[in-house]
Coordinates of all heavy atoms in Angstrom, one line a residue:
M1 N -11.3 -11.5 3.2 CA -10.1 -10.7 3.0 C -9.6 -11.0 1.6 O -9.5 -12.1 1.2 CB -9.1 -11.1 4.1 CG -7.9 -10.2 4.0 SD -6.8 -10.6 5.4 CE -5.4 -9.8 5.0
D2 N -9.3 -9.9 0.9 CA -8.8 -10.0 -0.5 C -7.3 -10.0 -0.5 O -6.7 -9.0 0.0 CB -9.4 -8.8 -1.3 CG -9.0 -8.9 -2.7 OD1 -8.2 -9.7 -3.1 OD2 -9.5 -8.0 -3.5
F3 N -6.6 -11.0 -0.9 CA -5.2 -11.1 -0.9 C -4.6 -10.6 -2.2 O -3.4 -10.6 -2.4 CB -4.7 -12.5 -0.7 CG -4.8 -12.9 0.8 CD1 -5.9 -13.6 1.2 CD2 -3.8 -12.5 1.7 CE1 -6.0 -14.0 2.5 CE2 -3.9 -12.9 3.0 CZ -5.0 -13.6 3.4
N4 N -5.4 -10.1 -3.2 CA -4.9 -9.5 -4.4 C -4.6 -8.0 -4.2 O -5.5 -7.2 -4.2 CB -5.9 -9.7 -5.5 CG -6.2 -11.1 -5.8 OD1 -5.2 -11.9 -6.0 ND2 -7.4 -11.5 -5.9
I5 N -3.3 -7.7 -3.9 CA -3.0 -6.3 -3.7 C -1.9 -5.9 -4.6 O -1.1 -6.7 -5.1 CB -2.5 -6.1 -2.2 CG1 -1.3 -6.9 -1.8 CG2 -3.7 -6.4 -1.3 CD1 -0.8 -6.6 -0.5
T6 N -1.8 -4.6 -4.9 CA -0.8 -4.0 -5.8 C 0.5 -3.9 -5.1 O 0.6 -4.1 -3.9 CB -1.2 -2.6 -6.2 OG1 -1.2 -1.8 -5.1 CG2 -2.6 -2.7 -6.9
A7 N 1.6 -3.6 -5.8 CA 2.9 -3.5 -5.3 C 2.9 -2.3 -4.2 O 3.5 -2.5 -3.2 CB 3.9 -3.2 -6.4
E8 N 2.2 -1.2 -4.5 CA 2.2 -0.1 -3.6 C 1.5 -0.5 -2.3 O 1.9 -0.2 -1.2 CB 1.5 1.1 -4.2 CG 1.5 2.3 -3.2 CD 1.0 3.5 -3.7 OE1 0.8 3.6 -5.0 OE2 0.7 4.5 -2.9
E9 N 0.4 -1.3 -2.5 CA -0.4 -1.7 -1.3 C 0.4 -2.7 -0.5 O 0.3 -2.7 0.7 CB -1.7 -2.4 -1.8 CG -2.7 -1.4 -2.3 CD -3.9 -2.1 -3.0 OE1 -3.8 -3.4 -3.2 OE2 -4.9 -1.5 -3.2
Q10 N 1.3 -3.5 -1.1 CA 2.1 -4.5 -0.4 C 3.2 -3.8 0.4 O 3.5 -4.2 1.5 CB 2.8 -5.4 -1.4 CG 3.5 -6.5 -0.8 CD 4.1 -7.5 -1.8 OE1 4.5 -7.1 -2.9 NE2 4.3 -8.7 -1.4
R11 N 3.7 -2.6 0.0 CA 4.7 -1.9 0.8 C 4.1 -1.3 2.0 O 4.8 -1.2 3.1 CB 5.3 -0.9 -0.1 CG 6.5 -0.2 0.5 CD 7.2 0.7 -0.5 NE 8.2 1.5 0.1 CZ 8.7 2.6 -0.3 NH1 8.2 3.1 -1.4 NH2 9.6 3.2 0.4
L12 N 2.9 -0.8 1.9 CA 2.3 0.0 3.0 C 2.2 -0.8 4.3 O 2.5 -0.3 5.4 CB 1.0 0.6 2.6 CG 0.3 1.6 3.5 CD1 1.2 2.8 3.8 CD2 -1.0 2.1 2.8
P13 N 1.7 -2.1 4.3 CA 1.6 -2.8 5.6 C 2.9 -3.0 6.3 O 3.0 -3.0 7.5 CB 1.0 -4.1 5.2 CG 0.2 -3.8 3.9 CD 1.0 -2.8 3.2
L14 N 4.0 -3.1 5.5 CA 5.3 -3.3 6.1 C 5.7 -2.0 6.9 O 6.2 -2.2 8.0 CB 6.4 -3.5 5.0 CG 6.3 -4.8 4.3 CD1 7.2 -4.8 3.0 CD2 6.6 -6.0 5.2
V15 N 5.4 -0.9 6.4 CA 5.6 0.4 7.1 C 4.7 0.5 8.3 O 5.1 0.9 9.4 CB 5.5 1.6 6.2 CG1 5.7 2.9 7.0 CG2 6.5 1.5 5.0
I16 N 3.5 0.1 8.2 CA 2.5 0.2 9.3 C 2.9 -0.7 10.4 O 2.9 -0.3 11.6 CB 1.1 -0.2 8.8 CG1 0.5 0.8 7.8 CG2 0.1 -0.4 9.9 CD1 -0.7 0.4 7.1
V17 N 3.4 -2.0 10.1 CA 3.8 -2.9 11.2 C 5.0 -2.3 11.9 O 5.0 -2.4 13.2 CB 4.2 -4.3 10.6 CG1 5.0 -5.1 11.5 CG2 2.9 -5.0 10.2
G18 N 5.9 -1.6 11.3 CA 7.0 -1.0 12.0 C 6.5 0.0 13.0 O 7.0 0.1 14.1
H19 N 5.5 0.8 12.6 CA 4.9 1.8 13.5 C 4.2 1.1 14.7 O 4.4 1.5 15.9 CB 3.9 2.7 12.8 CG 4.5 3.8 12.0 ND1 4.9 5.0 12.6 CD2 4.8 3.9 10.7 CE1 5.4 5.8 11.7 NE2 5.4 5.2 10.5
L20 N 3.4 0.1 14.4 CA 2.6 -0.6 15.4 C 3.6 -1.3 16.4 O 3.3 -1.3 17.6 CB 1.6 -1.5 14.8 CG 0.5 -0.9 14.0 CD1 -0.4 -1.9 13.3 CD2 -0.3 0.1 14.8
D21 N 4.6 -1.9 15.8 CA 5.6 -2.6 16.7 C 6.3 -1.7 17.7 O 6.7 -2.0 18.8 CB 6.7 -3.3 15.9 CG 6.1 -4.6 15.3 OD1 5.0 -5.1 15.7 OD2 6.8 -5.2 14.4
A22 N 6.4 -0.4 17.2 CA 7.1 0.6 18.1 C 6.1 1.3 19.0 O 6.4 2.2 19.8 CB 7.7 1.7 17.2
G23 N 4.8 0.8 19.0 CA 3.8 1.3 19.9 C 3.1 2.6 19.4 O 2.4 3.3 20.1
N24 N 3.2 2.9 18.1 CA 2.6 4.1 17.5 C 1.5 3.6 16.5 O 1.6 2.7 15.8 CB 3.6 4.8 16.6 CG 4.8 5.2 17.5 OD1 4.7 5.7 18.6 ND2 6.0 5.0 16.9
A25 N 0.4 4.4 16.5 CA -0.7 4.2 15.6 C -0.5 5.3 14.5 O -0.8 6.5 14.8 CB -2.0 4.3 16.2
P26 N 0.0 4.9 13.3 CA 0.3 6.0 12.3 C -1.0 6.5 11.7 O -1.9 5.8 11.4 CB 1.1 5.2 11.3 CG 0.6 3.8 11.4 CD 0.3 3.6 12.8
T27 N -0.9 7.8 11.4 CA -2.0 8.4 10.6 C -1.6 8.2 9.1 O -0.5 7.9 8.8 CB -2.0 10.0 10.8 OG1 -0.8 10.6 10.4 CG2 -2.3 10.3 12.3
V28 N -2.7 8.3 8.3 CA -2.4 8.1 6.9 C -1.6 9.2 6.4 O -0.7 9.0 5.5 CB -3.8 8.0 6.1 CG1 -3.6 7.9 4.6 CG2 -4.6 6.8 6.6
D29 N -1.7 10.4 6.9 CA -0.9 11.5 6.5 C 0.6 11.3 6.9 O 1.5 11.6 6.1 CB -1.3 12.9 7.1 CG -2.6 13.4 6.5 OD1 -2.9 13.0 5.4 OD2 -3.3 14.1 7.3
G30 N 0.8 10.7 8.1 CA 2.1 10.4 8.5 C 2.8 9.3 7.6 O 4.0 9.4 7.3
L31 N 2.0 8.3 7.2 CA 2.5 7.3 6.3 C 2.9 7.9 5.0 O 3.9 7.5 4.4 CB 1.5 6.2 6.2 CG 1.2 5.3 7.4 CD1 -0.1 4.5 7.2 CD2 2.4 4.5 7.8
S32 N 2.1 8.8 4.5 CA 2.4 9.5 3.3 C 3.7 10.2 3.4 O 4.6 10.2 2.5 CB 1.3 10.5 2.9 OG 0.1 9.9 2.6
A33 N 4.0 10.9 4.5 CA 5.2 11.6 4.8 C 6.4 10.6 4.8 O 7.4 10.8 4.3 CB 5.1 12.4 6.0
D34 N 6.2 9.5 5.5 CA 7.2 8.4 5.6 C 7.6 7.9 4.2 O 8.8 7.7 4.0 CB 6.7 7.3 6.5 CG 6.7 7.5 7.9 OD1 7.1 8.6 8.4 OD2 6.1 6.7 8.7
L35 N 6.7 7.7 3.4 CA 6.9 7.1 2.1 C 7.2 8.1 1.0 O 7.6 7.7 -0.1 CB 5.8 6.2 1.7 CG 5.6 4.9 2.6 CD1 4.3 4.2 2.3 CD2 6.8 4.0 2.4
G36 N 7.0 9.3 1.3 CA 7.3 10.4 0.3 C 6.3 10.6 -0.8 O 6.6 11.2 -1.8
H37 N 5.2 10.0 -0.7 CA 4.1 10.2 -1.6 C 2.7 9.9 -1.0 O 2.7 9.3 0.1 CB 4.3 9.3 -2.9 CG 4.2 7.9 -2.6 ND1 5.3 7.2 -2.2 CD2 3.2 7.0 -2.8 CE1 5.0 5.9 -2.0 NE2 3.7 5.8 -2.4
D38 N 1.7 10.3 -1.6 CA 0.3 10.2 -1.0 C -0.1 8.7 -1.0 O 0.0 8.1 -2.1 CB -0.7 11.0 -1.9 CG -2.1 11.0 -1.3 OD1 -2.2 10.5 -0.2 OD2 -3.0 11.5 -2.0
V39 N -0.4 8.2 0.1 CA -0.9 6.8 0.2 C -2.3 6.7 0.6 O -2.8 5.6 1.0 CB 0.0 6.0 1.3 CG1 1.5 6.0 0.8 CG2 -0.1 6.6 2.7
H40 N -3.1 7.8 0.5 CA -4.5 7.7 0.9 C -5.3 6.7 0.1 O -6.1 5.9 0.7 CB -5.1 9.1 0.8 CG -4.7 10.0 1.8 ND1 -3.5 10.8 1.8 CD2 -5.3 10.4 3.0 CE1 -3.4 11.5 2.9 NE2 -4.5 11.3 3.6
S41 N -5.1 6.6 -1.2 CA -5.8 5.7 -2.0 C -5.4 4.2 -1.7 O -6.3 3.3 -1.6 CB -5.7 5.9 -3.5 OG -4.3 5.8 -3.9
A42 N -4.1 4.0 -1.5 CA -3.7 2.6 -1.1 C -4.2 2.2 0.3 O -4.7 1.1 0.5 CB -2.1 2.6 -1.1
A43 N -4.2 3.2 1.2 CA -4.8 2.9 2.6 C -6.3 2.6 2.5 O -6.8 1.6 3.1 CB -4.5 4.0 3.5
L44 N -7.0 3.3 1.7 CA -8.4 3.1 1.5 C -8.7 1.7 0.9 O -9.6 1.0 1.3 CB -9.1 4.2 0.6 CG -10.6 4.1 0.3 CD1 -11.4 4.1 1.6 CD2 -11.0 5.2 -0.6
S45 N -7.9 1.4 -0.1 CA -8.0 0.1 -0.8 C -7.7 -1.1 0.2 O -8.5 -2.0 0.2 CB -7.1 0.0 -2.0 OG -7.2 -1.2 -2.6
L46 N -6.7 -0.9 1.0 CA -6.3 -2.0 2.0 C -7.4 -2.1 3.0 O -7.7 -3.2 3.5 CB -5.0 -1.7 2.6 CG -3.8 -1.9 1.8 CD1 -2.5 -1.4 2.5 CD2 -3.7 -3.4 1.4
R47 N -8.0 -1.0 3.4 CA -9.1 -1.0 4.3 C -10.3 -1.7 3.8 O -10.9 -2.6 4.4 CB -9.5 0.4 4.7 CG -10.6 0.5 5.7 CD -11.0 2.0 5.9 NE -12.0 2.1 7.0 CZ -12.5 3.3 7.4 NH1 -12.1 4.4 6.8 NH2 -13.4 3.3 8.3
R48 N -10.6 -1.5 2.5 CA -11.8 -2.1 1.8 C -11.5 -3.6 1.7 O -12.4 -4.4 1.7 CB -12.0 -1.5 0.5 CG -12.7 -0.1 0.6 CD -12.9 0.4 -0.8 NE -13.5 1.7 -0.7 CZ -13.5 2.7 -1.6 NH1 -12.8 2.5 -2.7 NH2 -14.0 3.8 -1.4
K49 N -10.2 -4.0 1.5 CA -9.9 -5.4 1.3 C -9.7 -6.2 2.6 O -9.5 -7.3 2.6 CB -8.6 -5.5 0.5 CG -8.7 -5.0 -1.0 CD -7.4 -5.0 -1.7 CE -7.6 -4.6 -3.1 NZ -6.4 -4.6 -3.9
G50 N -9.9 -5.4 3.7 CA -9.8 -6.1 5.0 C -8.4 -6.2 5.6 O -8.3 -7.0 6.6
W51 N -7.5 -5.5 5.1 CA -6.1 -5.6 5.6 C -5.9 -4.8 6.8 O -5.1 -5.2 7.7 CB -5.1 -5.2 4.5 CG -4.8 -6.3 3.5 CD1 -5.6 -6.8 2.6 CD2 -3.6 -7.1 3.4 NE1 -5.0 -7.8 1.9 CE2 -3.8 -8.0 2.4 CE3 -2.4 -7.0 4.1 CZ2 -2.8 -8.9 2.0 CZ3 -1.4 -7.9 3.7 CH2 -1.6 -8.8 2.7
I52 N -6.4 -3.6 6.8 CA -6.1 -2.6 7.9 C -7.4 -2.1 8.5 O -8.4 -2.1 7.9 CB -5.2 -1.5 7.5 CG1 -5.9 -0.6 6.4 CG2 -3.9 -1.9 7.0 CD1 -5.1 0.6 6.0
L53 N -7.3 -1.7 9.8 CA -8.4 -1.1 10.5 C -8.0 0.4 10.7 O -7.0 0.7 11.3 CB -8.6 -1.7 11.9 CG -9.7 -1.2 12.8 CD1 -11.1 -1.3 12.1 CD2 -9.7 -1.9 14.1
V54 N -8.8 1.3 10.2 CA -8.6 2.7 10.2 C -9.7 3.3 11.0 O -10.9 3.1 10.8 CB -8.6 3.3 8.8 CG1 -8.4 4.9 8.9 CG2 -7.5 2.7 8.0
R55 N -9.3 4.2 12.0 CA -10.3 4.9 12.8 C -10.0 6.4 12.8 O -8.8 6.8 12.6 CB -10.2 4.4 14.3 CG -10.7 3.0 14.5 CD -12.2 2.9 14.4 NE -12.6 1.6 14.7 CZ -13.2 0.8 13.9 NH1 -13.5 1.2 12.7 NH2 -13.6 -0.4 14.3
D56 N -11.0 7.2 13.0 CA -10.8 8.6 13.1 C -10.3 8.9 14.6 O -11.0 8.6 15.5 CB -12.1 9.3 12.9 CG -12.0 10.9 13.0 OD1 -11.5 11.4 14.0 OD2 -12.4 11.5 12.0
V57 N -9.1 9.4 14.7 CA -8.6 9.8 16.0 C -8.2 11.3 15.9 O -7.4 11.7 15.1 CB -7.3 9.0 16.3 CG1 -6.7 9.4 17.6 CG2 -7.6 7.5 16.4
N58 N -9.0 12.1 16.7 CA -8.8 13.5 16.7 C -8.9 14.1 15.3 O -8.1 15.0 15.0 CB -7.4 13.9 17.4 CG -7.4 13.5 18.8 OD1 -8.4 13.5 19.5 ND2 -6.2 13.1 19.2
G59 N -9.8 13.6 14.5 CA -10.1 14.2 13.2 C -9.1 13.7 12.1 O -9.1 14.3 11.0
R60 N -8.3 12.7 12.4 CA -7.3 12.2 11.5 C -7.5 10.7 11.3 O -7.6 10.0 12.3 CB -5.9 12.5 11.9 CG -5.7 14.0 12.1 CD -4.3 14.3 12.7 NE -3.3 14.2 11.7 CZ -2.0 14.2 11.9 NH1 -1.6 14.3 13.2 NH2 -1.2 14.1 10.9
D61 N -7.4 10.3 10.0 CA -7.5 8.8 9.7 C -6.2 8.2 10.3 O -5.1 8.6 9.9 CB -7.6 8.6 8.2 CG -9.0 8.9 7.7 OD1 -10.0 8.9 8.5 OD2 -9.1 9.1 6.5
T62 N -6.4 7.2 11.2 CA -5.3 6.6 11.9 C -5.4 5.1 11.8 O -6.5 4.5 12.0 CB -5.3 7.0 13.4 OG1 -5.2 8.4 13.4 CG2 -4.1 6.4 14.1
V63 N -4.3 4.4 11.4 CA -4.3 3.0 11.3 C -4.1 2.4 12.7 O -3.0 2.7 13.3 CB -3.2 2.5 10.4 CG1 -3.2 0.9 10.3 CG2 -3.4 3.1 9.0
V64 N -5.1 1.7 13.2 CA -5.0 1.2 14.6 C -4.6 -0.3 14.7 O -4.2 -0.8 15.7 CB -6.2 1.5 15.4 CG1 -6.4 3.0 15.6 CG2 -7.5 0.9 14.8
A65 N -4.7 -1.0 13.6 CA -4.4 -2.4 13.6 C -4.4 -3.0 12.2 O -4.9 -2.4 11.2 CB -5.5 -3.2 14.3
L66 N -3.7 -4.1 12.0 CA -3.7 -4.9 10.8 C -4.6 -6.1 11.2 O -4.6 -6.6 12.3 CB -2.4 -5.4 10.4 CG -1.6 -4.6 9.4 CD1 -1.2 -3.3 9.9 CD2 -0.4 -5.4 8.9
A67 N -5.3 -6.6 10.2 CA -6.1 -7.9 10.3 C -5.1 -9.0 10.7 O -4.0 -9.0 10.2 CB -6.8 -8.2 9.1
P68 N -5.5 -9.9 11.5 CA -4.6 -11.0 11.9 C -4.0 -11.7 10.7 O -2.8 -12.0 10.7 CB -5.5 -12.0 12.7 CG -6.5 -11.1 13.3 CD -6.8 -10.0 12.2
M69 N -4.7 -12.0 9.7 CA -4.2 -12.7 8.5 C -3.2 -11.8 7.8 O -2.2 -12.2 7.2 CB -5.3 -13.2 7.6 CG -6.0 -14.4 8.2 SD -7.3 -15.0 7.0 CE -6.2 -15.9 5.9
A70 N -3.5 -10.5 7.7 CA -2.5 -9.5 7.1 C -1.3 -9.5 7.9 O -0.2 -9.4 7.3 CB -3.2 -8.2 7.0
L71 N -1.4 -9.4 9.2 CA -0.2 -9.4 10.1 C 0.7 -10.6 9.8 O 1.9 -10.5 9.7 CB -0.6 -9.3 11.5 CG 0.5 -9.1 12.5 CD1 1.4 -7.9 12.2 CD2 0.0 -9.0 13.9
Q72 N 0.1 -11.8 9.7 CA 0.8 -13.0 9.5 C 1.5 -12.9 8.1 O 2.7 -13.3 8.0 CB -0.1 -14.2 9.5 CG 0.6 -15.5 9.3 CD 1.7 -15.8 10.4 OE1 1.5 -15.5 11.5 NE2 2.8 -16.3 9.9
A73 N 0.8 -12.4 7.1 CA 1.4 -12.3 5.8 C 2.6 -11.4 5.8 O 3.6 -11.6 5.2 CB 0.3 -11.8 4.8
V74 N 2.5 -10.2 6.5 CA 3.6 -9.3 6.6 C 4.7 -9.9 7.3 O 5.9 -9.7 6.9 CB 3.1 -8.0 7.3 CG1 4.2 -7.1 7.6 CG2 2.1 -7.2 6.3
R75 N 4.5 -10.5 8.4 CA 5.6 -11.1 9.2 C 6.3 -12.2 8.4 O 7.5 -12.3 8.4 CB 5.0 -11.8 10.5 CG 4.4 -10.8 11.4 CD 5.2 -10.6 12.6 NE 4.5 -9.8 13.6 CZ 4.8 -8.5 13.9 NH1 5.8 -7.9 13.3 NH2 4.2 -7.9 14.8
S76 N 5.6 -13.0 7.6 CA 6.2 -13.9 6.7 C 7.1 -13.3 5.7 O 8.2 -13.7 5.4 CB 5.1 -14.8 6.0 OG 4.4 -15.6 6.9
L77 N 6.6 -12.2 5.1 CA 7.4 -11.4 4.2 C 8.7 -10.8 4.8 O 9.8 -10.9 4.3 CB 6.6 -10.3 3.5 CG 5.6 -10.7 2.5 CD1 4.8 -9.4 2.1 CD2 6.3 -11.2 1.3
R78 N 8.4 -10.2 6.0 CA 9.5 -9.5 6.7 C 10.6 -10.5 7.2 O 11.8 -10.2 7.0 CB 8.9 -8.8 7.9 CG 9.9 -7.9 8.6 CD 9.2 -7.4 9.9 NE 9.1 -6.0 9.9 CZ 8.6 -5.4 10.9 NH1 8.2 -6.0 12.0 NH2 8.6 -4.1 10.9
Y79 N 10.2 -11.6 7.8 CA 11.2 -12.5 8.3 C 11.7 -13.5 7.3 O 12.7 -14.2 7.6 CB 10.7 -13.2 9.6 CG 10.4 -12.1 10.7 CD1 9.1 -11.9 11.2 CD2 11.5 -11.4 11.2 CE1 8.9 -11.0 12.1 CE2 11.2 -10.4 12.1 CZ 9.9 -10.2 12.6 OH 9.7 -9.3 13.5
G80 N 11.0 -13.6 6.2 CA 11.4 -14.6 5.2 C 12.5 -14.0 4.3 O 13.1 -14.7 3.5
R81 N 12.7 -12.7 4.4 CA 13.7 -12.0 3.5 C 15.1 -12.3 4.0 O 15.3 -12.4 5.2 CB 13.5 -10.5 3.6 CG 12.4 -10.0 2.7 CD 12.6 -8.5 2.6 NE 11.4 -7.9 3.2 CZ 11.3 -6.7 3.7 NH1 12.3 -5.9 3.6 NH2 10.2 -6.3 4.1
R82 N 16.0 -12.4 3.1 CA 17.4 -12.5 3.4 C 18.1 -11.2 3.2 O 18.0 -10.6 2.2 CB 18.1 -13.6 2.6 CG 17.7 -15.0 2.9 CD 18.5 -15.9 2.2 NE 18.2 -17.3 2.7 CZ 18.8 -18.3 2.2 NH1 19.7 -18.3 1.3 NH2 18.4 -19.5 2.7
E83 N 18.9 -10.8 4.2 CA 19.6 -9.5 4.0 C 20.9 -9.9 3.3 O 21.6 -10.8 3.6 CB 19.9 -9.0 5.4 CG 18.7 -8.6 6.2 CD 17.9 -7.5 5.6 OE1 18.5 -6.6 5.0 OE2 16.6 -7.5 5.6
T84 N 21.3 -9.1 2.3 CA 22.5 -9.3 1.6 C 23.4 -8.1 1.7 O 23.0 -7.0 2.1 CB 22.2 -9.5 0.1 OG1 21.5 -8.4 -0.4 CG2 21.5 -10.8 -0.1

């Protein structure tokens, strides 16, 4: 697993975890809509780096899971933040 990720790549897993925690497997198109810009290249990069598992579901690229180490990294970021 490659832990060298860009700022855009770092934001995407946080959004994915929110969907997965809610019981939804987000499509890459849906993530693009959520973030207001195209995330296809970031999703492909995270897939290649071993962060996310993407499957074709009904003809649409869908994120079905985060790698265990990626999930731990995201949880550390998420819960390590202080709200001001």
Side-chain angles (χ1 to χ4, degrees):
M1 185 170 167
D2 183 354
F3 283 98
N4 296 312
I5 61 174
T6 67
E8 181 176 347
E9 291 170 346
Q10 187 177 31
R11 186 172 175 206
L12 191 54
L14 293 169
V15 176
I16 292 169
V17 165
H19 280 278
L20 295 175
D21 283 350
N24 304 315
T27 64
V28 175
D29 290 334
L31 293 167
S32 293
D34 287 350
L35 293 171
H37 64 277
D38 185 10
V39 298
H40 286 83
S41 62
L44 178 60
S45 180
L46 287 172
R47 181 182 186 183
R48 288 181 180 155
K49 292 177 180 181
W51 278 72
I52 62 175
L53 178 61
V54 177
R55 294 285 186 242
D56 182 304
V57 177
N58 297 326
R60 301 175 76 191
D61 286 337
T62 304
V63 180
V64 296
L66 262 70
M69 290 183 76
L71 185 58
Q72 182 61 38
V74 169
R75 297 251 189 253
S76 294
L77 285 172
R78 188 188 239 185
Y79 297 117
R81 280 194 242 159
R82 288 188 172 182
E83 298 298 323
T84 57

